[in-house]
Amino acid sequence: MKKRIFAIISKADEGDRASKVFDNCIMILIVLSVVSIILESYRNLAQNYAVAFRIFECISIAVFTVEYALRIWTADLLYPGAKHPRLRYMRSFMAVIDLLAILPFFIPFIPLDLRFLRMVRLLRLFRLLRVFKLGRYLDAFMLLMKVIRKSAPQLVVSIILCAFVMLFSAIVMYTVENPEQPEQFPNVISSLWWAICTLTTVGYGDVYPVTATGKLFASIISVIGIGIIAIPTGIIAAGFSSVIHERSGGDKESDGKEYCPYCGHKLE
Amino acid sequence: MKKRIFAIISKADEGDRASKVFDNCIMILIVLSVVSIILESYRNLAQNYAVAFRIFECISIAVFTVEYALRIWTADLLYPGAKHPRLRYMRSFMAVIDLLAILPFFIPFIPLDLRFLRMVRLLRLFRLLRVFKLGRYLDAFMLLMKVIRKSAPQLVVSIILCAFVMLFSAIVMYTVENPEQPEQFPNVISSLWWAICTLTTVGYGDVYPVTATGKLFASIISVIGIGIIAIPTGIIAAGFSSVIHERSGGDKESDGKEYCPYCGHKLE
Amino acid sequence: MKKRIFAIISKADEGDRASKVFDNCIMILIVLSVVSIILESYRNLAQNYAVAFRIFECISIAVFTVEYALRIWTADLLYPGAKHPRLRYMRSFMAVIDLLAILPFFIPFIPLDLRFLRMVRLLRLFRLLRVFKLGRYLDAFMLLMKVIRKSAPQLVVSIILCAFVMLFSAIVMYTVENPEQPEQFPNVISSLWWAICTLTTVGYGDVYPVTATGKLFASIISVIGIGIIAIPTGIIAAGFSSVIHERSGGDKESDGKEYCPYCGHKLE
Amino acid sequence: MKKRIFAIISKADEGDRASKVFDNCIMILIVLSVVSIILESYRNLAQNYAVAFRIFECISIAVFTVEYALRIWTADLLYPGAKHPRLRYMRSFMAVIDLLAILPFFIPFIPLDLRFLRMVRLLRLFRLLRVFKLGRYLDAFMLLMKVIRKSAPQLVVSIILCAFVMLFSAIVMYTVENPEQPEQFPNVISSLWWAICTLTTVGYGDVYPVTATGKLFASIISVIGIGIIAIPTGIIAAGFSSVIHERSGGDKESDGKEYCPYCGHKLE
């Protein structure tokens, strides 16, 4: 029976109807859970249907708790040769998310602040990522992840450089604009908000320089902003280019072009 | 005569003057149709020349109806061996657009709401895409379409990820900013509007965070926004790179790599 | 003497001091001409130094006229074997710019509107492009131009697609927002201004949707906007990639890798 | 002893604990120095803890001075064979930054303006760049720098082109909008602020055209703005692609292409 339960809660094989139904039910419950967060944000809905929201919340927590328990119980089938399969499963990223999303409802001494609870329920959103495991986009998702993982060190460096430029701009802008606009640039942290809005080219327009020096400096920063956007874009583009090239290159070589299939002579 | 009509309404061959004149007339009528939508949006023009607009509308509907009927009539010449050539033509994307653009004017029980009619007439805009079939940009358009088609699964995944980040940001931002700005962030859907404006770096400035937590979070989201823009750009850049490389690579390979240099046997 | 003048007014050879002095003088005069346009925009400067600006204008027109005359006179040395060297020179892009920048001052029946004159003088800015011919950035500039020229058809197609999406969004947005905000979206052309601001992610914030339908549609358009920015970026990135690849590939091949330099056997 | 001090102040070798402690202390002092700049920008903190800030300032200046002196003293160990190792060290970028960050506190006749001092202390931020020398991101940082250095001439040309378009737009916009909005576009320099905000797609929304001609022109400029962002992105993407390709290509070529497959002679 344990094997059957494991088969049902893991990714559905072709033809296993019970497993597919289970997958879809959990997915629908996650989506409904997210929808209920959105709907509860409308004050009149939250007041008129308070009981319905509460009941749905209890049901979903119950289902997620049972699911979590079953996954831990069948963890030894997931990692057949592992020493502590349950511990290993509990340490996995998805299991931690799952636990955090249900835990607070079972600990009475955590102050059940509404905002804190909403944040916790938000964690269920991460479970939506499982949709990639089911769908036909798995391959494209894997490619995307591979590119991001390969480009990670360069992306981190470009983010550090970006943070450096932001901090530098914020301090300069505070120095330049504070005497003129003490309310818009009261301190360096407020100035940092301006720097981020400008360098990411969002430009809300709630804070902007008014002095000539400030505008000159903001202009230089804006132009640098183009470059800062260009760097991660360039990294990711090159990453995709390289991964796609690798793939098609790998296929080509394995197609027998390395050796002439007729005379066996090595080509090149 | 049917063959002659088919030759006229299909893409003009070199030297077929009647067909070219027909193509150009239809194209001019489509452009005029779009121009009339723009002009009708000026209230005083719409009132003073109401009759002229009405007459032009009737003429263009008549022409488009005749054209649609002729295309269905000659569909068996377009798909020579097909079983149901007319049905097959009617199911094609362009034929559906054509039908939708004229149909509402012939169904009396559809409430002829002005706004609904305008939307329907807008569908004619899609017919402008035919301009690519005629012009010298066909090759570049095909390349563009090929790149987008090849990169489609990765683009879809990056859009799903983007939607995920947007939803996440919207819920967090609503939780953080709602108590402070109940009018700007009344519910999660309104907050989603902010998230989309920020992540796409449009930044109208109609809604923005004012609390310290909100600004901190918005800063993180803005920086992630750069990355989110970088992903589709990178995908498309790599797609173009790969397609262009393939093309020039194809030429290179035909320069002697097709045959084994030792035994002269054709490879693959 | 004609040959000497031609040598002076064309690009300076190494060691030809007179030619270099001439090049630099013209360049300084162009820069001063642009600076004078900027300075004249300050009302108090324009009023107090009106005579100085007028004198400088007359001098620069005189110099540019003499230069233009000399270039036409020596055109037969520029195109040695051509039939009508002067006509051919006069039809070149730079010569037309040069003529347009001086012509209006010699035709009395053109109404000498101040704004019109300023625009005409602005044409001299194009002459600054000559700086690339002189400097050490010629190579990089040529590379940039080559990439843009090679990617031109695809860029044109992406701009046409972009214009198509803009027009479509503008008509939809006008239909949706006009009843609610008749002053912000009075007609399709005003709505087009919003569409361009949004799709280019500039987002001034002077016009934005307020209705739920409008916001939903604007969200979709903003996300498409990312894609629209991604396409030209991708095209140019792939163009650079291809040109740089070609270069290093070309150099490599001409370095004798096609044939083994020792045994002369063809490699590959 | 001099060798020991040199070992301590240069990059820590594996196992050299004293050197690592020194590196970390200096890094912490730099970070604290930056944090103190941020904290001092809060008026109430600056007033209440004025003495604490002053003491911390004196300590950090003292430490940085001693460090600078030690680095000059041991410069002959850094450049073993150089003629004037100390002069050579003092001319290096990092040494100049270090000197500028401490010098003003020792020159009594420089007017110790608070804003000037803050700017000077900001130079210490550059010392944070040393973090890359220590961390595990050195490789990614080097790759980034290599790409930027290789793409530098093309980036400079694209910035010059960008400046050219900005100047052109500013003059045109001033001519078009000045009569209508004399306060928003009082002169060409103010108009340049608009041009930069638009072309970098920041779009604060403090200045925007209101006339039809101005909007038409701004639309064209915005679309060109996409292209202007595309160029550096494309350059950097191609640069990364080329550098990554080179790396993996280098590996590939050493897999047998280095030697002629016929005579076995090493190629090049």
Side-chain angles (χ1 to χ4, degrees):
Chain A
M1 198 194 81
K2 192 174 179 179
K3 271 195 181 170
R4 184 72 196 115
I5 287 172
F6 176 68
I8 288 171
I9 63 173
S10 19
K11 207 194 145 211
D13 292 314
E14 282 296 311
D16 188 343
R17 242 192 106 186
S19 179
K20 265 191 187 159
V21 166
F22 177 84
D23 279 359
N24 290 337
C25 283
I26 289 288
M27 199 52 71
I28 288 164
L29 201 62
I30 295 170
V31 170
L32 284 179
S33 193
V34 173
V35 168
S36 93
I37 297 176
I38 295 174
L39 292 179
E40 262 196 274
S41 75
Y42 287 86
R43 190 170 302 194
N44 54 342
L45 281 179
Q47 285 172 342
N48 295 344
Y49 299 94
V51 182
F53 281 120
R54 190 76 204 141
I55 291 170
F56 174 75
E57 188 58 24
C58 290
I59 294 170
S60 52
I61 290 291
V63 173
F64 291 140
T65 309
V66 170
E67 190 210 352
Y68 183 71
L70 287 176
R71 279 189 199 278
I72 287 181
W73 183 45
T74 59
D76 47 348
L77 295 168
L78 187 65
Y79 306 108
K83 225 176 175 178
H84 301 286
R86 268 150 218 185
L87 258 174
R88 195 172 149 187
Y89 175 71
M90 285 173 82
R91 278 202 314 257
S92 71
F93 177 69
M94 274 305 188
V96 170
I97 293 284
D98 286 5
L99 184 62
L100 286 175
I102 53 169
L103 199 64
F105 299 86
F106 297 102
I107 305 177
F109 41 82
I110 284 186
L112 286 167
D113 177 15
L114 186 72
R115 280 168 60 181
F116 176 75
L117 273 187
R118 197 183 289 126
M119 286 304 212
V120 161
R121 277 159 63 198
L122 193 54
L123 289 169
R124 284 179 214 155
L125 207 63
F126 281 103
R127 303 191 66 186
L128 278 179
L129 286 175
R130 282 198 185 147
V131 86
F132 290 119
K133 278 199 192 156
L134 303 171
R136 56 197 170 123
Y137 293 116
L138 181 63
D139 195 54
F141 181 67
M142 283 297 150
L143 183 71
L144 201 75
M145 283 301 118
K146 195 181 169 190
V147 168
I148 290 171
R149 215 177 309 118
K150 266 187 85 170
S151 321
Q154 290 141 39
L155 285 174
V156 168
V157 165
S158 76
I159 285 170
I160 294 173
L161 273 185
C162 181
F164 178 81
V165 173
M166 280 170 181
L167 194 56
F168 186 85
S169 322
I171 297 177
V172 172
M173 212 48 158
Y174 163 71
T175 313
V176 170
E177 288 286 323
N178 181 36
E180 206 65 33
Q181 302 190 85
E183 280 176 32
Q184 305 290 335
F185 293 89
N187 50 58
V188 170
I189 298 297
S190 300
S191 186
L192 200 58
W193 168 246
W194 166 84
I196 290 168
C197 279
T198 302
L199 279 166
T200 58
T201 77
V202 171
Y204 288 124
D206 55 336
V207 198
Y208 49 83
V210 293
T211 64
T213 329
K215 284 185 175 184
L216 173 68
F217 184 73
S219 302
I220 297 166
I221 289 296
S222 303
V223 173
I224 291 171
I226 298 181
I228 280 177
I229 291 177
I231 290 173
T233 308
I235 291 169
I236 289 175
F240 271 104
S241 225
S242 150
V243 166
I244 288 170
H245 193 82
E246 221 165 66
R247 275 195 178 187
S248 63
D251 293 353
K252 225 187 254 170
E253 267 161 36
S254 67
D255 277 9
K257 276 204 174 168
E258 292 268 314
Y259 298 91
C260 170
Y262 302 98
C263 64
H265 205 294
K266 205 184 167 198
L267 297 176
E268 266 128 45
Chain B
M1 198 194 82
K2 192 175 180 179
K3 272 194 182 172
R4 184 71 197 119
I5 285 171
F6 177 68
I8 287 170
I9 64 173
S10 23
K11 207 194 145 212
D13 293 313
E14 282 297 311
D16 188 344
R17 243 193 104 186
S19 178
K20 265 190 188 160
V21 167
F22 177 83
D23 280 359
N24 290 337
C25 283
I26 289 288
M27 199 53 71
I28 288 164
L29 201 62
I30 295 169
V31 170
L32 283 180
S33 192
V34 173
V35 168
S36 93
I37 297 175
I38 295 174
L39 291 180
E40 262 195 275
S41 77
Y42 286 86
R43 188 170 303 194
N44 54 343
L45 281 179
Q47 285 173 342
N48 296 342
Y49 300 94
V51 183
F53 281 121
R54 190 74 204 142
I55 292 170
F56 174 76
E57 189 57 25
C58 290
I59 293 171
S60 52
I61 290 290
V63 174
F64 291 140
T65 308
V66 170
E67 190 209 351
Y68 183 70
L70 286 176
R71 280 190 198 277
I72 287 181
W73 183 46
T74 60
D76 48 348
L77 294 168
L78 187 66
Y79 306 108
K83 224 175 176 179
H84 301 287
R86 266 150 219 184
L87 259 175
R88 193 172 152 189
Y89 174 71
M90 284 172 84
R91 279 202 313 257
S92 72
F93 178 69
M94 274 306 189
V96 170
I97 293 285
D98 286 4
L99 184 62
L100 285 175
I102 52 170
L103 200 63
F105 298 87
F106 296 103
I107 305 178
F109 42 81
I110 283 185
L112 286 166
D113 177 15
L114 187 72
R115 280 168 61 181
F116 176 76
L117 272 186
R118 198 183 286 126
M119 287 303 212
V120 161
R121 278 159 62 198
L122 194 54
L123 289 168
R124 284 178 215 158
L125 208 63
F126 281 104
R127 303 191 66 184
L128 277 178
L129 287 175
R130 283 196 184 149
V131 86
F132 289 119
K133 278 200 193 155
L134 303 171
R136 55 197 171 124
Y137 293 117
L138 181 63
D139 196 52
F141 182 67
M142 283 296 149
L143 184 70
L144 202 74
M145 284 300 118
K146 195 181 171 190
V147 168
I148 290 171
R149 215 176 311 119
K150 268 186 84 170
S151 320
Q154 291 140 39
L155 285 174
V156 168
V157 165
S158 75
I159 285 170
I160 294 173
L161 274 185
C162 181
F164 178 81
V165 173
M166 279 170 181
L167 194 56
F168 186 86
S169 323
I171 297 177
V172 172
M173 212 49 160
Y174 163 71
T175 312
V176 170
E177 289 286 323
N178 181 37
E180 206 65 35
Q181 303 189 83
E183 280 177 32
Q184 305 290 335
F185 294 89
N187 50 56
V188 170
I189 298 296
S190 299
S191 187
L192 200 58
W193 168 245
W194 166 84
I196 290 168
C197 279
T198 302
L199 280 165
T200 58
T201 77
V202 170
Y204 287 125
D206 55 337
V207 197
Y208 49 84
V210 294
T211 64
T213 329
K215 284 185 175 183
L216 174 68
F217 184 73
S219 302
I220 296 165
I221 288 297
S222 303
V223 173
I224 290 170
I226 298 182
I228 280 177
I229 291 177
I231 290 172
T233 308
I235 291 168
I236 289 176
F240 270 104
S241 227
S242 151
V243 167
I244 288 170
H245 192 80
E246 221 166 66
R247 276 194 177 188
S248 62
D251 294 353
K252 224 187 254 168
E253 267 163 35
S254 66
D255 280 9
K257 275 201 174 170
E258 294 268 315
Y259 299 91
C260 169
Y262 303 99
C263 63
H265 207 293
K266 207 184 167 197
L267 298 175
E268 269 125 41
Chain C
M1 199 194 79
K2 193 174 180 179
K3 273 191 181 173
R4 184 71 197 118
I5 286 172
F6 177 68
I8 289 171
I9 64 174
S10 22
K11 208 194 145 211
D13 294 312
E14 283 296 313
D16 188 343
R17 243 194 104 185
S19 179
K20 266 190 187 160
V21 167
F22 177 84
D23 280 359
N24 291 337
C25 282
I26 289 288
M27 199 53 71
I28 288 165
L29 201 62
I30 294 169
V31 171
L32 283 179
S33 195
V34 173
V35 168
S36 95
I37 296 174
I38 295 173
L39 291 180
E40 263 196 274
S41 76
Y42 287 88
R43 189 171 302 195
N44 55 341
L45 280 179
Q47 285 171 341
N48 295 343
Y49 300 93
V51 183
F53 281 120
R54 189 76 204 141
I55 291 170
F56 174 75
E57 188 58 25
C58 291
I59 293 171
S60 52
I61 290 291
V63 172
F64 291 140
T65 309
V66 170
E67 191 210 351
Y68 182 71
L70 286 177
R71 280 190 198 276
I72 287 181
W73 183 46
T74 60
D76 48 347
L77 294 168
L78 187 64
Y79 307 108
K83 224 176 177 181
H84 301 288
R86 267 151 220 184
L87 259 174
R88 193 171 153 190
Y89 174 71
M90 284 173 83
R91 280 201 313 254
S92 71
F93 177 68
M94 274 306 188
V96 170
I97 293 286
D98 286 4
L99 184 62
L100 286 175
I102 53 169
L103 200 64
F105 298 87
F106 295 104
I107 304 177
F109 41 82
I110 285 184
L112 286 166
D113 176 15
L114 187 70
R115 281 168 60 181
F116 176 76
L117 272 186
R118 199 184 287 125
M119 288 302 214
V120 161
R121 276 158 64 196
L122 194 53
L123 290 169
R124 282 177 215 159
L125 208 63
F126 281 103
R127 303 192 65 185
L128 278 177
L129 286 174
R130 282 194 184 150
V131 86
F132 289 119
K133 278 199 192 157
L134 302 170
R136 56 200 171 120
Y137 292 116
L138 180 63
D139 197 53
F141 182 68
M142 284 295 149
L143 184 70
L144 202 74
M145 284 300 117
K146 196 181 170 190
V147 168
I148 291 172
R149 216 176 309 120
K150 267 187 83 170
S151 320
Q154 291 140 39
L155 285 174
V156 167
V157 165
S158 75
I159 286 170
I160 293 173
L161 274 185
C162 182
F164 178 81
V165 173
M166 280 171 181
L167 193 56
F168 186 86
S169 324
I171 297 177
V172 173
M173 212 48 159
Y174 162 71
T175 311
V176 170
E177 288 287 323
N178 181 37
E180 206 66 33
Q181 302 189 86
E183 279 177 34
Q184 305 290 335
F185 294 90
N187 50 57
V188 170
I189 297 297
S190 300
S191 187
L192 200 57
W193 168 244
W194 166 83
I196 290 168
C197 279
T198 302
L199 280 165
T200 58
T201 78
V202 169
Y204 287 125
D206 54 337
V207 198
Y208 49 83
V210 293
T211 64
T213 329
K215 282 185 177 185
L216 173 69
F217 184 73
S219 302
I220 296 165
I221 288 296
S222 304
V223 173
I224 291 172
I226 298 182
I228 281 178
I229 291 178
I231 290 173
T233 308
I235 292 168
I236 288 176
F240 270 105
S241 227
S242 150
V243 167
I244 288 170
H245 192 81
E246 219 165 68
R247 269 196 182 188
S248 61
D251 293 353
K252 229 187 248 169
E253 268 162 34
S254 66
D255 277 9
K257 275 202 174 169
E258 292 269 314
Y259 299 91
C260 169
Y262 301 99
C263 65
H265 205 293
K266 207 184 167 198
L267 298 175
E268 269 131 43
Chain D
M1 199 195 79
K2 193 175 180 179
K3 273 192 180 170
R4 185 72 196 115
I5 287 172
F6 177 68
I8 288 170
I9 63 174
S10 17
K11 207 193 145 210
D13 293 313
E14 284 295 312
D16 188 343
R17 242 193 104 186
S19 178
K20 265 191 186 161
V21 167
F22 176 83
D23 279 359
N24 289 338
C25 282
I26 289 288
M27 200 53 71
I28 289 165
L29 201 62
I30 294 170
V31 171
L32 283 179
S33 194
V34 173
V35 169
S36 94
I37 296 176
I38 295 173
L39 291 180
E40 263 196 274
S41 76
Y42 287 87
R43 190 172 300 194
N44 54 341
L45 282 179
Q47 285 172 343
N48 295 344
Y49 300 93
V51 183
F53 281 120
R54 189 76 204 140
I55 291 170
F56 174 76
E57 188 58 25
C58 290
I59 293 170
S60 53
I61 290 291
V63 173
F64 291 139
T65 309
V66 169
E67 190 210 353
Y68 183 71
L70 286 176
R71 279 191 198 277
I72 287 181
W73 183 47
T74 60
D76 46 348
L77 294 167
L78 187 66
Y79 307 108
K83 225 176 176 180
H84 300 288
R86 268 152 218 183
L87 258 174
R88 196 173 149 186
Y89 175 71
M90 285 172 82
R91 278 201 313 254
S92 71
F93 178 68
M94 275 305 188
V96 170
I97 293 284
D98 287 4
L99 184 62
L100 286 175
I102 53 170
L103 201 64
F105 299 86
F106 296 104
I107 304 178
F109 41 81
I110 285 184
L112 287 166
D113 176 16
L114 187 71
R115 280 169 60 181
F116 177 76
L117 273 186
R118 197 184 288 125
M119 287 303 213
V120 161
R121 278 158 63 197
L122 193 55
L123 289 170
R124 285 178 214 155
L125 208 64
F126 281 103
R127 302 192 66 186
L128 278 179
L129 286 175
R130 282 197 184 149
V131 86
F132 290 118
K133 280 199 191 156
L134 302 171
R136 56 200 170 121
Y137 293 115
L138 181 62
D139 196 52
F141 182 67
M142 282 296 148
L143 184 70
L144 201 74
M145 284 300 117
K146 195 181 170 189
V147 168
I148 291 172
R149 216 176 309 119
K150 266 187 85 170
S151 321
Q154 291 140 40
L155 285 174
V156 167
V157 165
S158 75
I159 286 170
I160 293 173
L161 274 184
C162 182
F164 178 82
V165 173
M166 280 170 181
L167 194 56
F168 186 85
S169 324
I171 297 177
V172 172
M173 212 47 159
Y174 163 71
T175 311
V176 170
E177 288 287 322
N178 182 37
E180 206 67 33
Q181 301 190 87
E183 278 176 35
Q184 305 290 335
F185 294 90
N187 50 58
V188 170
I189 297 298
S190 300
S191 187
L192 200 57
W193 168 245
W194 166 84
I196 290 168
C197 279
T198 302
L199 280 166
T200 58
T201 76
V202 170
Y204 287 125
D206 55 337
V207 198
Y208 50 83
V210 293
T211 63
T213 329
K215 284 185 175 183
L216 173 69
F217 184 73
S219 302
I220 297 166
I221 288 296
S222 303
V223 173
I224 291 172
I226 298 182
I228 280 178
I229 291 178
I231 290 173
T233 307
I235 291 169
I236 288 175
F240 270 105
S241 226
S242 151
V243 166
I244 289 170
H245 192 82
E246 221 164 66
R247 277 192 179 190
S248 62
D251 295 352
K252 225 187 253 170
E253 266 164 35
S254 66
D255 280 9
K257 275 204 176 167
E258 294 268 315
Y259 300 90
C260 169
Y262 302 98
C263 64
H265 206 293
K266 206 182 167 199
L267 297 175
E268 265 122 47

